[in-house]
Amino acid sequence: MSTESDITPTAADRHHPLLKLALELGPLLIFFFANLRGQWLVERFPALSELGGPLFVATGLFMAATAISLIVSKIVLGHLPIMPFVSGIVVLIFGALGIYLQNETFIKMKPTIVNALFGVALLGGLAFGRSLLGYVFNAAFQLDPEGWRKLTIRWGIFFLFLAVLNEVVWRNFSDGTWVAFKVWGTMPITIIFTLAQMPLVLKHSINLETDGEK
């Protein structure tokens, strides 16, 4: 049963790695600093008070930044990577519900839902002999079927771990701690996990150009 992924990176993906990073990190940083300085923002832009407290103000700005990020990604990269797109849709839906209902639960559960969705999708895809990891990350590399299978299992479990971790943090700590962890905790953990997968990626990488010449 093959678990091969047929996603290949586009030229834009290879040429704009820093832009892609900025588009993903930018909204998160805005969310963090808006929550940190929510009162200051409301004093200078009174209209923001209509959104509610600092977390709702931060969420509103996060939604706007996310929408802008998706638009820029579409214009510059020529497409919308599946992971930021799905995450962005959930941000807009749950952010809007949270602000409208003035219920922080919708906002705090967004990472849980996104990570659980990706985790279940990746592991579920393997059950049908298909690795969806290339679609999730718009993969900048190609692996043999065994490599895709192993990497998909690892990332699927990791996404589920992040979902559980988010639940633990938001249910047991303050809003400020949760927001800080969302930005300064989840990202480093993800980077460390990604780097830890490099030996597997290098071991199972295939060269498309070389294979095409055979």
Side-chain angles (χ1 to χ4, degrees), residues 1-8 82 118-139 141-157 159 200-201 204:
M1 183 167 56
S2 173
T3 56
E4 187 174 358
S5 174
D6 57 5
I7 292 297
T8 55
I82 187 65
F118 282 121
V120 171
L122 290 178
L123 297 177
L126 286 182
F128 294 93
R130 186 69 173 175
S131 171
L132 302 178
L133 195 63
Y135 292 93
V136 172
F137 290 108
N138 199 42
F141 49 81
Q142 288 294 306
L143 306 178
D144 59 37
E146 181 65 12
W148 280 121
R149 187 185 69 81
K150 291 180 178 179
L151 195 61
T152 298
I153 291 174
R154 293 184 183 185
W155 272 102
I157 294 174
F159 277 125
L200 184 149
V201 171
H204 293 277

Side-chain angles (χ1 to χ4, degrees), residues 145-187:
E146 181 65 12
W148 280 121
R149 187 185 69 81
K150 291 180 178 179
L151 195 61
T152 298
I153 291 174
R154 293 184 183 185
W155 272 102
I157 294 174
F158 180 69
F159 277 125
L160 295 180
F161 164 74
L162 289 180
V164 173
L165 187 59
N166 182 69
E167 286 295 295
V168 171
V169 174
W170 84 260
R171 291 180 184 275
N172 293 281
F173 297 92
S174 67
D175 290 351
T177 299
W178 173 74
V179 171
F181 179 79
K182 177 179 169 65
V183 179
W184 308 115
T186 302
M187 187 59 64

